[in-house]
Coordinates of all heavy atoms in Angstrom, one line a residue:
T7 N 139.0 125.9 122.1 CA 137.9 125.2 121.5 C 138.3 124.5 120.2 O 138.1 123.3 119.9 CB 136.7 126.1 121.3 OG1 136.3 126.7 122.5 CG2 135.5 125.3 120.7
F15 N 138.6 115.0 117.0 CA 138.5 114.3 115.7 C 139.8 113.4 115.4 O 139.7 112.3 114.9 CB 138.4 115.3 114.5 CG 137.0 115.8 114.3 CD1 136.6 117.0 114.8 CD2 136.1 115.0 113.6 CE1 135.3 117.5 114.6 CE2 134.8 115.4 113.4 CZ 134.4 116.7 113.9
M53 N 122.8 88.8 75.3 CA 123.5 87.8 76.2 C 124.7 87.3 75.6 O 124.9 87.3 74.4 CB 122.5 86.7 76.6 CG 121.2 87.1 77.3 SD 121.5 87.7 79.0 CE 122.0 86.2 79.9
L54 N 125.6 86.8 76.4 CA 126.9 86.3 75.9 C 126.7 85.1 74.9 O 127.5 85.0 74.0 CB 127.8 85.8 77.1 CG 129.3 85.7 76.8 CD1 129.9 86.9 76.3 CD2 130.0 85.3 78.1
I71 N 117.9 92.6 87.9 CA 119.0 93.1 87.0 C 120.2 93.3 87.9 O 120.1 94.0 89.0 CB 118.6 94.4 86.4 CG1 117.4 94.2 85.4 CG2 119.8 95.0 85.6 CD1 116.9 95.6 84.9
K83 N 132.8 89.1 94.6 CA 132.4 88.6 95.9 C 130.9 88.3 95.9 O 130.4 87.2 96.4 CB 132.7 89.6 97.1 CG 134.1 89.6 97.4 CD 134.4 90.5 98.6 CE 135.8 90.6 99.0 NZ 136.1 91.4 100.1
L92 N 121.0 82.2 95.0 CA 120.0 82.8 94.0 C 119.7 81.8 92.9 O 118.5 81.4 92.8 CB 120.6 84.1 93.4 CG 119.7 85.0 92.6 CD1 118.6 85.6 93.5 CD2 120.5 86.1 92.0
R109 N 129.0 95.7 82.6 CA 128.9 97.1 82.2 C 130.2 97.6 81.5 O 131.3 97.4 82.1 CB 128.7 97.9 83.5 CG 128.6 99.4 83.2 CD 128.7 100.2 84.5 NE 130.2 100.4 84.8 CZ 130.6 101.2 85.7 NH1 129.8 101.8 86.6 NH2 131.9 101.3 86.0
V116 N 134.7 89.7 78.9 CA 133.6 89.1 79.6 C 133.7 87.5 79.4 O 133.6 86.8 80.4 CB 132.3 89.6 79.2 CG1 131.2 88.8 80.0 CG2 132.2 91.1 79.5
V120 N 134.2 84.9 82.4 CA 133.1 83.9 82.6 C 133.8 82.5 82.6 O 133.4 81.6 83.4 CB 132.0 84.0 81.6 CG1 131.1 82.8 81.5 CG2 131.2 85.3 81.8
P170 N 126.9 91.1 102.4 CA 126.3 89.8 102.5 C 124.9 89.8 103.1 O 124.0 89.1 102.6 CB 127.3 89.0 103.3 CG 128.6 89.7 103.1 CD 128.3 91.1 102.9

Side-chain angles (χ1 to χ4, degrees):
T7 302
F15 278 102
M53 296 294 287
L54 199 55
I71 299 170
K83 286 183 180 180
L92 191 68
R109 183 192 83 174
V116 177
V120 167

